[in-house]
Amino acid sequence: MKNRNRFFRKILITRRLSIALAGFFVLLLFSDARNPVLLDKGCKALEKAVVDRIEGKDVRTAEGESDAGTSASASGLGAEETAAVSEELAQGDGDTGDAADVDDDADVDMETFDSSGRQRCYTIKIDELVFSLADRDEVIALLTAAKARYDKDDEYEVVLVKDDTRRIPAITAVMRLRSQETGIFGLEIFDAGVAKGIREAEDVAGNDSSRGIESFETAARILKEQEISGDPSVELGIRGIEFADKVEIAEAYMFPQELTPLDEAIAIITEDKQKEQIYEVQPGDTLSQICERLEIPMEELIAINDALEDENSTLRAGQELTITVPEPELSFFHIEEMYYEENFNAPIEYVDNDDWYTTEEKTLQDPIAGFHKVVADVTFRNDQEQDRDVLREVVIMDATPKIVEKGTKIPPIYYKPISGGRISSSFGKRTAPKKGASTNHKGIDWAIPVGSAVVASSAGTVTRAGWGSGYGNVVYIMHPDGRETRYGHLSKVLVKVGQNVSGGEKIALSGNTGRSTGPHLHFEILINGSPVNPLKYLN
């Protein structure tokens, strides 16, 4: 190997001198021969361009300039050009080619320093994060330190591979099982767990010819059957790991003081930062369960979601909540085969009642938790579970499902009971507007002139009409879905107790009666006797 490298170096030096000499005479003919600095720069630029071509690098020139005189290697980047590297790495659709492992021989003829004294280094791009390290060993050390958090037994190694799909010579990083042979490795991110399974399946096929195994697929199936039917702890642990973020690397030249120290780079990409994500509410979820599962304080979850009023806010399946999760700059997907024993609940069973509204339900049978032992492949993004694939389950005690009778009728629609108006007091906690007034407002107030029309928010039956102490003149209406609406501080009541009214029917005139600080309508919606924020239920 050394003799071969020495031989190619001799050829390279000879070619450099020949081309440089030819370029020198070209410069004598076409350049200002009285300027020795210009001649020196021209010869060095010419030599650099030729060497770059020999080494297979992408040489780029400004429009109108010659390749020989003014080109610079795409690898020759200074600190001010790092942004350009980031932009180039972000662009694909260039010429494609086969990718191969980056080995030591690829570095034989590369210069350690360029003519400006800049050091050969590696610029790394992870999403929007860009920095440079001194050499390839530091790149591997950096990525190895990042994956160590999830690959605690160091079963996988980081491998750098050339990526010829970029416009400039670029490198990417992938994970490989340490026991895996180099020959079956390619550019694509390799599922090392699958590779391990294939090799073990080959052993099964070779050691048990009586089964008549004709393919690796059959062997893999038999292997899985043996695995999950035996001791569940045998194959526990990490089954595969890969980068969740694209890692892009380009060779560059920079001054030593512009490089990022390895320990600092490790701290940058491994330190957790709070990042926002979307969580989709699942059937049966409650705010307290979500907070406990995701380890988010209730106050923080409410603060970053406008749809949540307080800890008693209603959730619906499919609703999207903004959550914050700790996540490093470089993320990983990893699969772990896990064994666990736990209580479990059977899915809720529903019995339809076509005479009830969807807001009505009744529990017919209380649930009883079951108990099972499970082996599962659990997929994580960093520390957050993404998916769970049960491989084996042994039920020790069956679960008894919860049975719920639930209405199917669509409930009535509720409309704003006045036209216009300005909200003068919202639902919930407030400063008492006058002595004797409540600090916990049970409804919503609209400031509106005395005598404005007040209509029924929805169809129902009047259960109260007249004077109501602090409410002044008031109307209560009970609706078919079990909800109740209240209209307070009226100047005149236009309906009677027991009267059926339609939604939108005029029932009163607004006023300033009772405990009031000015002309307005006080409006409440009660569900099961408890006041709720009307704005969440009005169409």
Side-chain angles (χ1 to χ4, degrees):
M1 176 65 73
K2 290 183 178 179
N3 291 334
R4 186 184 67 178
N5 291 340
R6 192 175 299 114
F7 172 75
F8 281 113
R9 281 182 176 174
K10 289 179 180 179
I11 294 177
L12 179 63
I13 292 171
T14 301
R15 295 181 66 180
R16 286 185 186 177
L17 291 176
S18 299
I19 299 174
L21 185 59
F24 177 75
F25 286 110
V26 172
L27 290 171
L28 284 177
L29 290 173
F30 297 100
S31 301
D32 186 354
R34 291 170 296 180
N35 190 336
V37 175
L38 177 61
L39 284 176
D40 181 61
K41 288 184 176 179
C43 288
K44 287 182 177 179
L46 176 63
E47 179 186 2
K48 186 71 172 70
V50 172
V51 171
D52 285 346
R53 288 295 188 189
I54 291 171
E55 296 177 346
K57 298 181 184 176
D58 185 16
V59 180
R60 308 199 180 277
T61 63
E63 184 177 356
E65 295 175 342
S66 67
D67 268 359
T70 59
S71 63
S73 168
S75 298
L77 303 177
E80 70 280 2
E81 294 164 295
T82 300
V85 171
S86 177
E87 183 178 356
E88 283 287 351
L89 287 173
Q91 299 175 0
D93 303 327
D95 295 335
T96 60
D98 294 332
D101 287 355
V102 177
D103 55 29
D104 293 335
D105 291 341
D107 299 338
V108 169
D109 293 321
M110 297 293 290
E111 299 291 347
T112 304
F113 293 91
D114 68 1
S115 58
S116 301
R118 294 181 298 181
Q119 176 181 340
R120 180 185 172 217
C121 64
Y122 288 78
T123 296
I124 305 171
K125 180 176 183 292
I126 304 171
D127 290 334
E128 300 303 318
L129 178 65
V130 181
F131 54 89
S132 297
L133 296 176
D135 53 43
R136 188 182 60 181
D137 289 342
E138 287 198 356
V139 174
I140 293 176
L142 171 72
L143 300 178
T144 300
K147 65 97 179 172
R149 174 174 175 178
Y150 315 106
D151 181 19
K152 294 181 172 58
D153 294 329
D154 199 26
E155 297 180 43
Y156 294 80
E157 63 180 333
V158 176
V159 179
L160 303 185
V161 296
K162 292 178 182 177
D163 185 356
D164 292 333
T165 63
R166 298 297 178 182
R167 295 183 180 179
I168 63 173
I171 302 169
T172 189
V174 294
M175 307 300 298
R176 182 170 68 189
L177 192 65
R178 289 194 179 278
S179 60
Q180 178 182 313
E181 296 82 358
T182 304
I184 63 173
F185 189 76
L187 170 64
E188 67 277 1
I189 294 177
F190 194 81
D191 187 343
V194 172
K196 181 181 179 183
I198 290 174
R199 286 196 304 278
E200 292 176 344
E202 290 178 304
D203 294 339
V204 172
N207 296 333
D208 193 356
S209 57
S210 62
R211 291 180 178 267
I213 298 174
E214 298 178 355
S215 67
F216 286 155
E217 288 79 9
T218 305
R221 177 181 57 78
I222 293 171
L223 176 70
K224 181 58 67 176
E225 290 174 355
Q226 292 175 345
E227 183 178 308
I228 66 176
S229 63
D231 183 353
S233 65
V234 172
E235 291 293 335
L236 300 185
I238 189 166
R239 305 290 287 170
I241 184 170
E242 62 185 37
F243 296 104
D245 300 307
K246 179 69 174 177
V247 178
E248 299 172 283
I249 306 163
E251 295 174 79
Y253 284 93
M254 299 183 71
F255 293 109
Q257 63 270 24
E258 296 171 332
L259 302 179
T260 303
L262 177 59
D263 55 350
E264 183 179 327
I266 291 175
I268 291 173
I269 70 169
T270 58
E271 181 181 0
D272 282 344
K273 296 180 180 178
Q274 292 296 327
K275 297 184 180 181
E276 289 190 352
Q277 292 184 4
I278 299 298
Y279 174 81
E280 183 175 326
V281 176
Q282 302 299 312
D285 270 352
T286 65
L287 280 180
S288 58
Q289 290 173 339
I290 293 173
C291 291
E292 181 179 355
R293 187 185 315 129
L294 302 178
E295 298 181 352
I296 300 175
M298 177 73 75
E299 300 77 13
E300 180 180 323
L301 185 63
I302 294 173
I304 61 179
N305 287 276
D306 294 336
L308 302 180
E309 193 75 26
D310 52 37
E311 61 274 11
N312 298 316
S313 297
T314 302
L315 297 178
R316 66 181 186 279
Q319 181 178 352
E320 292 186 344
L321 298 178
T322 300
I323 61 173
T324 57
V325 296
E327 193 170 88
E329 290 288 351
L330 178 57
S331 294
F332 289 83
F333 287 120
H334 53 105
I335 301 176
E336 295 189 28
E337 187 167 304
M338 304 176 67
Y339 170 77
Y340 52 93
E341 302 177 4
E342 65 175 6
N343 294 326
F344 72 98
N345 294 314
I348 298 175
E349 296 180 5
Y350 291 97
V351 177
D352 292 340
N353 187 323
D354 296 335
D355 295 327
W356 291 0
Y357 288 104
T358 55
T359 54
E360 298 177 83
E361 63 178 41
K362 177 183 178 181
T363 299
L364 302 179
Q365 176 176 283
D366 290 324
I368 300 176
F371 184 77
H372 62 176
K373 299 179 179 181
V374 180
V375 178
D377 276 346
V378 185
T379 302
F380 296 89
R381 178 187 171 94
N382 300 322
D383 296 320
Q384 297 295 320
E385 181 178 333
Q386 304 289 306
D387 189 31
R388 184 175 293 251
D389 180 22
V390 175
L391 304 177
R392 176 178 181 247
E393 178 188 28
V394 177
V395 177
I396 307 301
M397 183 175 70
D398 288 325
T400 299
K402 180 179 182 179
I403 301 177
V404 177
E405 186 176 10
K406 190 171 184 178
T408 59
K409 291 172 59 178
I410 303 299
I413 298 174
Y414 291 80
Y415 294 94
K416 184 179 177 181
I418 59 170
S419 176
R422 172 184 58 84
I423 295 178
S424 56
S425 184
S426 298
F427 177 84
K429 294 181 180 180
R430 66 173 182 176
T431 301
K434 63 182 296 184
K435 186 176 180 180
S438 173
T439 58
N440 184 23
H441 200 211
K442 297 179 180 179
I444 188 170
D445 291 346
W446 284 286
I448 195 169
V450 172
S452 298
V454 178
V455 302
S457 181
S458 188
T461 302
V462 177
T463 57
R464 184 170 184 173
W467 187 258
S469 185
Y471 284 106
N473 290 322
V474 67
V475 171
Y476 290 5
I477 299 177
M478 182 61 68
H479 303 278
D481 61 351
R483 297 176 183 177
E484 183 182 41
T485 54
R486 296 179 179 181
Y487 312 78
H489 308 299
L490 306 171
S491 61
K492 187 175 182 181
V493 174
L494 303 178
V495 292
K496 297 179 180 179
V497 173
Q499 180 178 340
N500 292 324
V501 295
S502 303
E505 182 178 340
K506 190 174 180 180
I507 58 173
L509 301 178
S510 67
N512 189 29
T513 58
R515 193 175 294 114
S516 173
T517 59
H520 73 283
L521 172 69
H522 173 82
F523 176 68
E524 296 180 14
I525 295 180
L526 292 86
I527 298 179
N528 297 325
S530 299
V532 296
N533 187 350
L535 294 182
K536 290 186 176 182
Y537 299 90
L538 293 180
N539 188 300

